[in-house]
Amino acid sequence: RGATRSLVETFTIMVEGIIEFRLLDTESITVYPDTTNEFEADILLIGTESVEFVSISLEENSVFKRVQGSEEYIGAIDPDSPIPFDLYYRINENAEPGTHQMSLLIKYRDHLNKPHETLLDVDVEVSAGAVPENGEENSGGFWNWLRNLFR
């Protein structure tokens, strides 16, 4: 008894990277009820590791409805590398005027191939009434401009 003994144990600590998304180049958005609009922005990964299989889609609610083009696959994103994207959405014809939050669902896989999801919110101003007669919508995109040109 009085004999010296030692024990060696090996353990592994997994260090998780930081992954946070931000939207860049989001201007104030004004839309009108019963219109299809385009949302254009850049997504920026603020963090310490890359992510893969990134896709962005619109989360439908009582104001914002999904249409063709409401989801975009981006692929891999490296930190500090902004990636442009655009999504289409429709405003419900019964949408109340005022500021509403449009939610964007971001799905991705980390370096361990584990799936993750996060939401980003964007403020959108729904104006009362109809689209102005001059055919200009602030965020209607090229196709709405073209459609209004032939009205």
Side-chain angles (χ1 to χ4, degrees), residues 63-75:
V63 176
F64 304 98
K65 300 297 178 190
R66 292 175 60 94
V67 295
Q68 184 175 357
S70 290
E71 182 172 357
E72 183 169 331
Y73 176 75
I74 294 179

Side-chain angles (χ1 to χ4, degrees), residues 21-142:
F21 292 99
R22 290 220 180 116
L23 294 177
L24 303 176
D25 300 330
T26 55
E27 301 172 4
S28 62
I29 302 170
T30 303
V31 296
Y32 298 91
D34 201 27
T35 58
T36 300
N37 302 281
E38 179 180 18
F39 175 71
E40 296 176 337
D42 293 339
I43 187 165
L44 177 67
L45 173 59
I46 299 172
T48 57
E49 66 179 69
S50 298
V51 293
E52 297 178 334
F53 307 107
V54 179
S55 67
I56 300 177
S57 61
L58 173 77
E59 283 287 287
E60 202 170 48
N61 60 27
S62 62
V63 176
F64 304 98
K65 300 297 178 190
R66 292 175 60 94
V67 295
Q68 184 175 357
S70 290
E71 182 172 357
E72 183 169 331
Y73 176 75
I74 294 179
I77 299 180
D78 294 323
D80 198 29
S81 300
I83 306 289
F85 71 95
D86 59 338
L87 296 176
Y88 292 90
Y89 59 95
R90 182 153 187 83
I91 301 297
N92 188 343
E93 60 189 23
N94 300 322
E96 293 291 323
T99 302
H100 299 276
Q101 285 196 334
M102 179 171 61
S103 295
L104 304 177
L105 177 65
I106 301 173
K107 295 180 181 180
Y108 63 94
R109 291 184 176 262
D110 63 12
H111 68 285
L112 297 174
N113 205 29
K114 288 199 290 191
H116 297 273
E117 294 182 353
T118 187
L119 283 174
L120 290 178
D121 292 325
V122 178
D123 288 336
V124 176
E125 180 72 28
V126 176
S127 290
V131 179
E133 285 300 316
N134 63 8
E136 293 181 18
E137 292 182 49
N138 289 342
S139 63
F142 173 75

